[in-house]
Amino acid sequence: MDEIQCETLENELRKNTEILESTFEQYNLKILSVAYSTSLPKGDELTTWLEMISIDGDKIKLPKSILAHSLKIKINFYQNDRLLCSTSTTVFPEQFNGYDTEELHISFCGLITRATKARIFATLG
């Protein structure tokens, strides 16, 4: 696989990435942009960048009734609606000031050639 093929597959995956917005809105977050970059030659290593902004104010809002100190942002990768793999990152509300970019890494055999779509969502850590 060459660089042009990788870029085509990255762009296709980005187009087929669904952001479950309601899972972010409840924590006062919105995903502005998603970017993918894969390693050559096999496409086994995938890096994802998520650009995030707060919706109202500059803080992440966690439920007071739950003793949670962090938020997990997860990405599920699918091949023809079958879950292939998942990765996540932890965001700490006290370190978030309204705008940030999260970087996630995953290693999975031929991921960029196999993944036909992705879903991004937020959950308590």
Side-chain angles (χ1 to χ4, degrees), residues 23-87:
T23 67
F24 288 95
E25 290 169 354
Q26 66 184 327
Y27 304 118
N28 193 41
L29 287 175
K30 179 176 180 153
I31 299 294
L32 294 176
S33 183
V34 178
Y36 295 109
S37 179
T38 193
S39 64
L40 291 171
K42 295 180 183 178
D44 293 344
E45 304 284 333
L46 184 67
T47 301
T48 306
W49 288 275
L50 302 174
E51 182 183 28
M52 302 182 307
I53 192 168
S54 60
I55 298 168
D56 180 28
D58 62 355
K59 297 294 178 190
I60 293 173
K61 297 177 182 173
L62 296 180
K64 292 179 181 176
S65 61
I66 298 175
L67 297 175
H69 302 290
S70 64
L71 188 67
K72 284 231 184 252
I73 297 176
K74 298 183 177 184
I75 306 175
N76 289 349
F77 295 95
Y78 300 85
Q79 181 178 28
N80 302 323
D81 294 322
R82 183 178 62 89
L83 182 64
L84 280 176
C85 58
S86 184
T87 189

